[in-house]
Amino acid sequence: MLDLNDVDALRRSDPGEMEARIRELPRQCLDAWRITQGLQVPEGYRSPRRVVILGMGGSAIGGALLAGLVADACPVPILPVGGYDLPAYVGPEDVVVASSYSGNTEETLSATAQAAERGARIAAVTTGGHLAAQAEREGWLLLRFDDRSTPRAALGYSFTLLLGLLHRMGLLRDYGPDLKEAAAAMEAWQQELVPEVPTPRNPAKRMAGQLVDRMPVVYGAGFLAPVARRWKGQFNENAKNWSFWEELPELNHNAVVGYGIPEGILERVSVILLRSSLDHPRIQARWEVTKELLLQEGVMVDEVWGRGEGRLAQMLALIHFGDYVSFYLAILNGADPTPVPPIDDLKRRLAEMG
């Protein structure tokens, strides 16, 4: 197993430079916000009945994070939707945002075509591809960004562009100060997480070491529930590791009953609690009881608290920390954190089927 403190060996194990992409997250967020500040939004986009955000994988998580962040502040519903088909409730009074990193995601293109047929107002968030070409051809609102990495490594764009878009639509307040706080929180925590910091002083390296040969199950509540989903996806794609996520308080109504069986899984599972000082007081109480129930069954439990004062700072800081954990776990698993061969193979086989 590679020594995470051997920085040169670690770099050689990361030919796609995923760690450099992770390091860029604070800058990405600020750059994406800057892009949106000059956006001219036509009047027809300003009073929707609802906002539907289409996306898959690394392009879907931005919509989920946005919905979690502003659910109690946005005057209209924000509904993330995945898959090929648009829900029947979507119509001409809605704004549909198609988010596709490549611009060629077949599920998103299919649902976008249905939105166009129904007369919905469409916005596209993409680097190019068929989606950008169609947006330019049809006169849709287009937020185009330049990135040459992977969808999951462009979260700063796919999330913050949505945040800025809804601000420019008049649905959300100015989150510029919140983003500055979030970037500062990420950059400060990053000083403890980069490869140059040895394991005894690097909490991301230590957590990754504890997760070797284990299945991480990530818990989140409220605005941090989609952050738990992000951690799960990063463990899958970066570390090539089984992982799942659950949401509090829902998991208190089912998951807690199954902690003891099967017995053999207890020594292979590690539960990570993503916590915030901003959680509802009853959620805080539930965290403590849930942790006790896990420990009583012999399940390994760890908790990570968000940093910063506001929701956005805590959300993005925890995402940043989780990205580093998944990166180090990839290295310990002997996996290249950037390529995703099964996904590439699946796309190839689907293309062959027509």
Side-chain angles (χ1 to χ4, degrees):
M1 186 180 298
L2 189 144
D3 180 2
L4 293 180
N5 297 320
D6 186 339
V7 177
D8 290 336
L10 189 151
R11 299 288 187 209
R12 290 192 296 271
S13 299
D14 181 27
E17 299 185 334
M18 178 59 73
E19 191 275 326
R21 304 289 79 76
I22 292 171
R23 199 181 293 225
E24 290 174 354
L25 182 59
R27 179 195 61 77
Q28 280 189 13
C29 292
L30 295 176
D31 186 48
W33 185 256
R34 178 191 58 79
I35 290 172
T36 65
Q37 294 315 287
L39 182 67
Q40 299 299 314
V41 177
E43 189 61 34
Y45 286 77
R46 291 183 174 273
S47 300
R49 178 176 54 182
R50 60 176 71 89
V51 177
V52 178
I53 303 176
L54 309 178
M56 302 298 300
S59 297
I61 190 63
L65 290 166
L66 179 66
L69 176 68
V70 303
D72 61 350
C74 187
V76 302
I78 300 173
L79 304 168
V81 172
Y84 291 92
D85 294 317
L86 202 63
Y89 57 70
V90 179
E93 297 179 16
D94 302 316
V95 167
V96 174
V97 184
S99 178
S100 169
Y101 177 86
S102 66
N104 298 318
T105 309
E106 64 175 60
E107 300 97 324
T108 302
L109 291 176
S110 172
T112 302
Q114 295 173 34
E117 291 173 359
R118 298 183 198 176
R121 288 156 285 178
I122 300 174
V125 176
T126 184
T127 63
H130 293 299
L131 183 59
Q134 188 173 11
E136 291 174 341
R137 185 170 61 250
E138 302 292 340
W140 300 339
L141 201 57
L142 175 60
L143 287 86
R144 193 167 188 166
F145 62 98
D146 183 30
D147 186 79
R148 295 294 179 268
S149 182
T150 65
R152 66 190 186 277
L155 177 68
Y157 289 110
S158 60
F159 165 65
T160 313
L161 288 173
L162 296 175
L163 185 66
L165 171 61
L166 266 66
H167 168 58
R168 300 297 293 175
M169 289 169 60
L171 298 175
L172 296 177
R173 64 173 176 82
D174 182 355
Y175 274 82
D178 302 68
L179 277 167
K180 289 181 180 178
E181 187 212 354
M186 285 187 282
E187 289 169 350
W189 208 352
Q190 188 180 88
Q191 301 309 307
E192 305 173 36
L193 308 177
V194 292
E196 292 78 11
V197 179
T199 300
R201 302 200 311 272
N202 191 319
K205 287 183 179 180
R206 292 200 303 274
M207 179 171 282
Q210 294 167 356
L211 293 175
V212 173
D213 292 332
R214 288 181 170 271
M215 181 175 69
V217 180
V218 191
Y219 287 1
F223 73 101
L224 293 183
V227 177
R229 173 180 167 182
R230 165 71 174 186
W231 276 53
K232 178 264 184 190
Q234 292 294 82
F235 282 134
N236 294 155
E237 294 193 67
N238 286 350
K240 282 65 181 178
N241 211 103
W242 275 87
S243 183
F244 297 94
W245 73 282
E246 297 233 35
E247 182 173 358
L248 208 72
E250 173 63 25
L251 70 88
N252 284 164
H253 296 265
N254 39 64
V256 293
V257 185
Y259 287 158
I261 301 173
E263 291 184 7
I265 203 170
L266 298 180
E267 60 190 34
R268 293 296 187 185
V269 171
S270 182
V271 176
I272 302 168
L273 316 180
L274 302 185
R275 300 193 60 176
S276 168
S277 58
L278 304 176
D279 283 337
H280 188 284
R282 295 300 292 171
I283 294 295
Q284 301 288 13
R286 286 177 179 275
W287 278 128
E288 295 304 321
V289 176
T290 301
K291 182 166 61 174
E292 290 179 11
L293 292 172
L294 286 162
L295 293 172
Q296 287 171 8
E297 294 293 344
V299 179
M300 180 183 287
V301 183
D302 206 344
E303 56 184 12
V304 189
W305 288 77
R307 294 194 179 185
E309 297 296 323
R311 283 187 180 183
L312 187 58
Q314 294 195 19
M315 174 181 278
L316 288 173
L318 280 170
I319 286 172
H320 202 41
F321 182 88
D323 286 358
Y324 268 105
V325 175
S326 70
F327 169 74
Y328 292 127
L329 183 57
I331 302 303
L332 293 173
N333 284 345
D336 184 338
T338 300
V340 284
I343 296 177
D344 295 336
D345 182 57
L346 187 147
K347 290 180 178 179
R348 177 188 58 78
R349 294 174 64 183
L350 287 172
E352 291 172 353
M353 294 176 185

